[in-house]
Amino acid sequence: MRHFNYLTKEGAEATFFRAPEIFDNNTPRGILSHALGATLYMPGTRETIAKDIISKKNRGLASTVFCLEDSIGDAEVPRAEQNITTQVQEIYKALNEQEIEPIDLPLIFIRVRSAEQILRLTDKMGDSSKLITGFIFPKFTSESHEYFEAVKSLNQQSVGPFYGMPIIESTQAIYRESRIHELMETKRLLDSYHDLVLNVRIGATDFSGYYGIRRGPDVTIYDITVIRDCIADIINIFGRVESDYVISGPVWEYFSNGGRVLKPQLRKSPFEQFHDTQGNNRTKIRSQLLNKYVDGLIREVILDKENGIIGKTIIHPSHIIPVQSLYIVGHEEYLDALSIIENCNGLQGVTKSHYTNKMNEVKPHYKWAQKILLRAKNYGVFHEQHNFISLFTEDIYV
């Protein structure tokens, strides 16, 4: 898989100063953990999963989850398990028959209900289970060791590699009186399976449900104070540099129904600065973006990034390109990161940025620079004067 692989060669050259690199199940964990981007959930009962992936229906899709938990009813589980098995086998067959190229195959995860389900599914899938990158563990707590034991067992059998992605969404994690103890114990558990943990995910929908809250489409999750406080503690504990965990952002629940659904909340500057090479009116570009995409989603992803979160759970294909494009590294921050890394030998403590608008301090900015270069590897680097609006062209709206 490679992000933005749908672009033509000319389109990619016009967009990227540095193009995204290829990744797959065998990519080192430290790189792969940053590569998921917009992760699209699909209910396990969906019978067109294989068809959609083989036909590349969802442009830009780089990671997806086949869900066996909240998206289906309890009585539907057996049928969903059989359907997922069939769909994965169809994709595997198409790959072997070269109906789809490996570079076009998204990372595939399964959201399970139990550790036993992991073992049962991989056994049913046989060789096609090689397509699975990992499993998502809902309602994960400090006592949920059985999930990682199942993944560890599969990897010891050389079936994988498989990874696990716990979702922190329990009452123990959100309630103030138990939160810090629960999060610290959860981290202790994850540390014992460190190399099997691909992402730490946040279940903000479940968190909100415990308080009878549902955020509106014109606010971000950071505007909901009780959830924001919990996210802050999750970042504090799991986001420390020495922990080496990637935290993924909560799901965005809203999508356009064809009309305007939100008030415009984006700053104007990215749109005003974007120079449309086709000569189209910039106001028109902004209007199209706000009419077709949820501007609240863009605001939330920007806040995710500012808080050190990368990756986003999504429930609609229209979210893929907005989210992915926001992870592309800007030309300025890329040059800053390179400068910091190049001067890490201790000869200089502070250097002037290439754009001469800031000072880069090597020691405090070093880890930031490493993360920027990881994002650049996965998502690419924009040419100077380009930003995420560069990818919102007319054909995206068809």
Side-chain angles (χ1 to χ4, degrees):
M1 169 51 60
R2 178 164 54 201
H3 286 294
F4 310 104
N5 197 45
Y6 62 88
L7 293 174
T8 64
K9 180 181 178 181
E10 293 76 15
E13 289 176 351
T15 301
F16 294 110
F17 175 78
R18 171 180 172 174
E21 296 183 12
I22 294 173
F23 59 90
D24 59 23
N25 294 15
N26 295 304
T27 298
R29 171 189 167 274
I31 299 172
L32 191 63
S33 60
H34 289 78
L36 273 61
T39 303
L40 179 65
Y41 268 55
M42 300 184 189
T45 52
R46 185 181 180 90
E47 297 180 352
T48 62
I49 289 174
K51 179 182 177 182
D52 292 348
I53 288 177
I54 295 166
S55 67
K56 295 180 281 188
K57 176 183 178 181
N58 298 319
R59 183 188 302 192
L61 181 65
S63 63
T64 186
V65 176
F66 306 158
C67 183
L68 290 168
E69 207 228 356
D70 286 347
S71 67
I72 65 172
D74 294 345
E76 294 181 295
V77 172
R79 179 169 70 89
E81 285 188 6
Q82 183 55 53
N83 181 60
I84 287 178
T85 300
T86 300
Q87 300 297 322
V88 171
Q89 289 172 340
E90 286 183 17
I91 298 169
Y92 187 66
K93 180 174 181 284
L95 190 64
N96 287 335
E97 295 179 355
Q98 299 182 332
E99 293 179 43
I100 183 172
E101 297 296 324
I103 197 171
D104 296 317
L105 188 67
L107 301 177
I108 298 173
F109 299 88
I110 301 176
R111 188 184 190 188
V112 295
R113 294 188 173 212
S114 67
E116 186 274 333
Q117 196 173 44
I118 295 172
L119 302 177
R120 185 168 65 249
L121 282 170
T122 52
D123 182 61
K124 286 182 177 180
M125 289 177 186
D127 287 344
S128 66
S129 67
K130 297 174 184 176
L131 296 185
I132 308 301
T133 302
F135 302 89
I136 295 183
F137 311 142
K139 315 296 189 293
F140 193 87
T141 73
S142 57
E143 298 179 354
S144 302
H145 59 87
E146 69 278 3
Y147 284 114
F148 279 106
E149 280 298 309
V151 173
K152 181 180 178 181
S153 172
L154 289 175
N155 286 343
Q156 287 174 340
Q157 299 170 40
S158 300
V159 180
F162 295 115
Y163 294 99
M165 296 199 292
I167 308 178
I168 298 177
E169 54 185 348
S170 68
T171 55
Q172 299 99 301
I174 188 69
Y175 291 168
R176 182 183 291 273
E177 64 271 21
S178 57
R179 180 186 307 159
I180 299 303
H181 175 76
E182 171 62 19
L183 292 180
M184 290 299 294
E185 288 301 304
T186 298
K187 183 179 179 298
R188 194 187 312 277
L189 173 62
L190 296 189
D191 286 347
S192 65
Y193 298 100
H194 180 271
D195 292 342
L196 300 180
V197 183
L198 194 59
N199 276 184
V200 175
R201 308 186 79 84
I202 301 173
T205 301
D206 277 39
F207 281 161
S208 299
Y210 301 139
Y211 296 89
I213 294 171
R214 183 177 188 179
R215 74 184 185 278
D218 54 352
V219 298
T220 73
I221 199 64
Y222 299 97
D223 297 313
I224 309 301
T225 56
V226 68
I227 312 301
R228 181 188 64 213
D229 289 350
C230 184
I231 291 175
D233 286 334
I234 291 172
I235 294 170
N236 193 311
I237 291 172
F238 294 93
R240 301 175 191 182
V241 169
E242 63 270 18
S243 297
D244 188 35
Y245 292 118
V246 172
I247 304 169
S248 181
V251 64
W252 181 260
E253 300 177 348
Y254 297 92
F255 52 90
S256 173
N257 62 1
R260 187 184 188 84
V261 293
L262 297 181
K263 302 174 183 177
Q265 296 185 3
L266 289 169
R267 295 176 299 173
K268 292 183 180 180
S269 55
F271 301 90
E272 292 173 344
Q273 292 170 0
F274 173 56
H275 299 283
D276 181 16
T277 58
Q278 301 302 315
N280 292 333
N281 183 279
R282 297 176 198 167
T283 303
K284 180 181 178 183
I285 294 173
R286 176 178 169 80
S287 175
Q288 288 172 333
L289 176 61
L290 293 175
N291 284 337
K292 290 288 186 178
Y293 289 94
V294 181
D295 56 346
L297 167 65
I298 296 174
R299 291 181 60 239
E300 186 163 293
V301 174
I302 290 171
L303 289 172
D304 285 343
K305 286 168 51 186
E306 291 297 315
N307 284 283
I309 289 174
I310 185 167
K312 193 75 170 169
T313 299
I314 61 170
I315 47 83
H316 195 273
S318 65
H319 297 164
I320 296 171
I321 293 173
V323 173
Q324 312 282 50
S325 63
L326 284 162
Y327 294 137
I328 301 175
V329 175
H331 187 260
E332 179 176 347
E333 60 183 347
Y334 179 65
L335 294 186
D336 285 341
L338 283 180
S339 174
I340 290 165
I341 297 298
E342 289 169 357
N343 287 285
C344 67
N345 54 16
L347 297 179
Q348 298 185 71
V350 178
T351 60
K352 185 184 294 186
S353 72
H354 178 83
Y355 278 65
T356 67
N357 60 358
K358 71 177 76 66
M359 299 305 291
N360 291 323
E361 295 188 58
V362 174
K363 288 184 178 179
H365 293 149
Y366 181 74
K367 294 297 183 181
W368 169 85
Q370 287 183 314
K371 289 184 177 181
I372 291 297
L373 295 185
L374 270 176
R375 263 181 51 208
K377 181 183 287 288
N378 286 317
Y379 301 96
V381 178
F382 279 123
H383 278 302
E384 191 173 6
Q385 302 301 325
H386 282 250
N387 56 47
F388 74 96
I389 305 303
S390 305
L391 293 173
F392 288 92
T393 52
E394 292 287 348
D395 60 321
I396 287 175
Y397 301 101
V398 176

